Amino acid sequence: MQKLTDQQEQEVQEQLALYRQGVQEIIPLKELESKIRTSVIENRPLKIKLGLDPSAPDVHLGHTVVLNKLRQFQEHGHIIQLIIGDFTGKIGDPTGKSVARKQLTEDEVKHNAQTYFEQFSKVLDMDRVELHYNSKWLGEMKMEDVIGLAGKITVARLMERDDFEARIKEGKPISLHEFFYPLMQGFDSVQLECDIELGGTDQHFNVLMGRHFQEKYNKEKQVVILMPLLEGLDGVDKMSKSKHNYIGIDERPEEMFGKTMSLPDHLMMKYFELITDLPLEKISEINASLAAGQMHPRDAKMLLGRTIVRMYHGFGASERAQEQFISVFQKGSMPDEIPELQWNGSEEVNILELLVNVNLLPSKSEARKMIKNNGVKIDGTKVEDPNLIVRVQEGMTVQVGKRKFIKLLVDGE
Amino acid sequence: MQKLTDQQEQEVQEQLALYRQGVQEIIPLKELESKIRTSVIENRPLKIKLGLDPSAPDVHLGHTVVLNKLRQFQEHGHIIQLIIGDFTGKIGDPTGKSVARKQLTEDEVKHNAQTYFEQFSKVLDMDRVELHYNSKWLGEMKMEDVIGLAGKITVARLMERDDFEARIKEGKPISLHEFFYPLMQGFDSVQLECDIELGGTDQHFNVLMGRHFQEKYNKEKQVVILMPLLEGLDGVDKMSKSKHNYIGIDERPEEMFGKTMSLPDHLMMKYFELITDLPLEKISEINASLAAGQMHPRDAKMLLGRTIVRMYHGFGASERAQEQFISVFQKGSMPDEIPELQWNGSEEVNILELLVNVNLLPSKSEARKMIKNNGVKIDGTKVEDPNLIVRVQEGMTVQVGKRKFIKLLVDGE
């Protein structure tokens, strides 16, 4: 192996240390180091892959765990390859059973990719991102190529995937085409000769497919970097839109801040580490201060909230969001837990109807009276007009008097 | 349902009775009757499918069990669809592990199909046979179509196939592409809208795939007719070239006759029923005579031998073959079992070298002496020239003196 200069060796070690931060697993670490080394010697960027599902373009902070890692690679000159898995989206579900896998049109796919692109631009430098649609190569494969691909993996290996294994045990059917999703994801890496693929730990099986098939097609194997999954605001499940426990990357500053404040204390440090841009030393400091009792958890959480808002809306917005939060909730008697209510009515609704419908007030006349007495607030803002048409939004807080709060959930799934 | 005339009803019942003869299973019988009925009413021929492996074109009497059944359908005006599975032959084995599944060239496929065609012409009226190559449609399918096909069957269903099940239990790997062979066979039936598919009982799983996929693609389902497997001359294994227990459809009359005489008695009636063209009543008669002791088993077997030779070589040849057999073996002291020897030498060999190599004689000079004394015979014919170049053939009998026999096997696999 070529000998590196001291400066080059330092560069390799710096990159390696950075990329290892906060990851769950690197498979294998040795190869990552070797790839960085080659990249430094040859002054050649590595190709870092992230696969995206074209059917669910709503990006939340859970996704930024991976995006932040990609950003680190970008900062050292590497190339990000975003792969829109539009081929599976276009073919839909051939069994016709699953509603989730409904067929997307060409336009929907493009639109969703655009949505990703816009949202990702808040974290990544999109001028240095390659955007690929895997229908370009998968759509061109013929039966002969498919058989060739299928001949490079065993049935037993595929059945090791957790969800397949579970369904087999439970006697639930697996349609044969489902075996092809991991194959296709693996083949994407063959096609684009990816050096590294990122994914959440729940993608363990699928991202390893890239290594498997690259080897079978006599390509250099990619390194797999698995990022931890971020628990959502409930502190239990993985952050996801369907669990209503997420903070969207596009949400308003007050909403982001307020939601952050509702996070269980024990997850704060994980959030600092995985989804903020604070340097490691700063995060260690906060952790130490908390442990020593020199910092109140609420203050740490407000710093987390400000940091998140600052990352997506800038400094000014982060300060305002905190002030707003303090004036509305903290100075009032904000309950520890705001009851949540699923809103199934129309998107736009008269304020009086809303108040009655969610049982905050018994009648429209009571509601009108309460508004006159300045007793109704939406997201902390006083309602003055009893004819106000409210546009119901996810997480919108409705307050009546000092004690009665309700948070509205919108069925967006 | 349309009412049939008495004559039509009789025609339906006649056909049904004929097709049921000697079969192992019809799935389902009701649908077969209904298809015949429609065919008679609408005066429309049924399409009867037989799939063929392009890599093994040597046809033996085991194959004629199915061919004779096809012949019966032909005699009532139905159309035979022979499908050469050239697509699988052309792609070979993508794992590159199996020697058996080596890739065939276009020319080899055509040549093998031609060989089938020539040999089948001894049983079928080839003017009323459609010949199809499944690469025509399978080769054109794209990934999207393959996924569509795969989405119409479950993994569990495929794993029910006996050999897959056994390999899973034994922990032996199944390559994913192997799952596609039954799928492709099934899709052939969709493509050609087959009414009936024939196969041996060992094809149970594969031929049912046609029914499965026709239903999924909203076609009328084919009826499956499974024929019994014919045991070979050893009376144990299924007749096959690799087991050296077969009578080839192209073999010489003497060889056919002689091999038939080596058949264990208990299989005689099965051979009469499945591979001869004798009418059922005649076969019943023979069976009764044997049971009553009015007919010697050797005479029955000679009738079987004559019948088989007559079917493939005509009456004259059948008589001559029997005479030859009697003069060589029966009048001489033919042993009950002739030892067999695998011949690995060159195809053409000098008679003296042959006799020494197979240990019938200790030296070339001894061999030369024995020939001079008229003591060497090949297939019952005296050898007179010690410089004779022998072309070694499968099943060739070499005799030295009255007692020493050897039968040569040629490694053709």
Side-chain angles (χ1 to χ4, degrees), chain B residues 260-274:
Chain B
T260 305
M261 294 309 291
S262 76
L263 185 72
D265 287 355
H266 73 273
L267 282 175
M268 252 197 301
M269 294 318 299
K270 188 166 182 184
Y271 270 52
F272 269 118
E273 192 181 3
L274 292 177

Side-chain angles (χ1 to χ4, degrees), chain A residues 350-352 354-355 367-390 396-400:
Chain A
N350 169 265
I351 181 66
L352 301 179
L354 176 66
L355 290 167
R368 195 185 298 273
K369 208 182 291 172
M370 187 59 86
I371 290 172
K372 270 195 183 154
N373 294 336
N374 296 325
V376 174
K377 287 180 185 173
I378 291 184
D379 284 343
T381 303
K382 200 185 297 167
V383 175
E384 295 176 344
D385 177 6
N387 298 316
L388 178 72
I389 300 299
V390 181
M396 177 181 270
T397 315
V398 186
Q399 182 180 359
V400 170

Side-chain angles (χ1 to χ4, degrees), chain A residues 232-346:
Chain A
L233 300 170
D234 56 1
V236 179
D237 290 314
K238 172 187 164 187
M239 183 178 283
S240 78
K241 203 182 170 200
S242 60
K243 293 281 182 185
H244 296 296
N245 63 355
Y246 70 103
I247 301 177
I249 204 173
D250 256 352
E251 288 193 78
R252 292 167 300 138
E254 305 77 40
E255 195 59 33
M256 275 188 164
F257 193 92
K259 282 185 171 181
T260 305
M261 294 309 290
S262 76
L263 185 71
D265 288 355
H266 73 273
L267 281 175
M268 251 197 301
M269 293 319 299
K270 188 167 182 183
Y271 270 53
F272 268 119
E273 193 182 5
L274 291 177
I275 63 168
T276 74
D277 57 3
L278 296 184
L280 260 192
E281 307 84 58
K282 175 72 183 168
I283 294 172
S284 301
E285 251 179 58
I286 298 168
N287 199 23
S289 304
L290 279 169
Q294 292 158 349
M295 192 182 204
H296 191 283
R298 170 153 296 191
D299 294 333
K301 213 182 285 180
M302 288 217 273
L303 172 58
L304 177 64
R306 282 203 311 280
T307 306
I308 291 171
V309 176
R310 189 255 303 149
M311 286 171 71
Y312 297 97
H313 298 282
F315 277 105
S318 72
E319 294 301 326
R320 281 193 301 277
Q322 173 164 325
E323 280 163 27
Q324 165 94 338
F325 178 84
I326 292 171
S327 75
V328 175
F329 296 105
Q330 219 171 12
K331 288 190 181 159
S333 53
M334 180 197 167
D336 282 344
E337 290 203 350
I338 304 180
E340 293 180 342
L341 193 88
Q342 182 68 39
W343 176 254
N344 294 318
S346 58

Side-chain angles (χ1 to χ4, degrees), chain A residues 126-139:
Chain A
M126 299 310 281
D127 289 339
R128 284 150 69 211
V129 164
E130 293 177 3
L131 192 63
H132 298 277
Y133 294 87
N134 67 3
S135 62
K136 192 177 164 190
W137 50 88
L138 294 177

Side-chain angles (χ1 to χ4, degrees), chain A residues 1-16 19 29-46 78 196 220:
Chain A
M1 196 188 290
Q2 198 180 324
K3 185 100 176 100
L4 276 68
T5 64
D6 286 353
Q7 199 190 339
Q8 283 177 326
E9 184 60 44
Q10 193 184 339
E11 165 72 11
V12 169
Q13 294 309 325
E14 266 177 28
Q15 283 195 39
L16 192 59
Y19 303 148
L29 183 60
K30 269 280 169 228
E31 285 181 26
L32 177 60
E33 182 169 355
S34 147
K35 278 181 187 271
I36 297 172
R37 200 175 292 274
T38 309
S39 156
V40 167
I41 293 173
E42 299 177 0
N43 195 22
R44 183 173 57 76
L46 297 174
H78 302 299
I196 295 170
E220 188 182 314

Side-chain angles (χ1 to χ4, degrees), chain A residues 95 141 143 151 153 155 174 176, chain B residues 95 141 143 151 153 155 174 176:
Chain A
T95 61
M141 285 173 83
M143 171 77 98
I153 192 159
V155 172
I174 300 167
L176 180 59
Chain B
T95 62
M141 286 174 83
M143 170 77 98
I153 192 157
V155 172
I174 300 168
L176 180 59

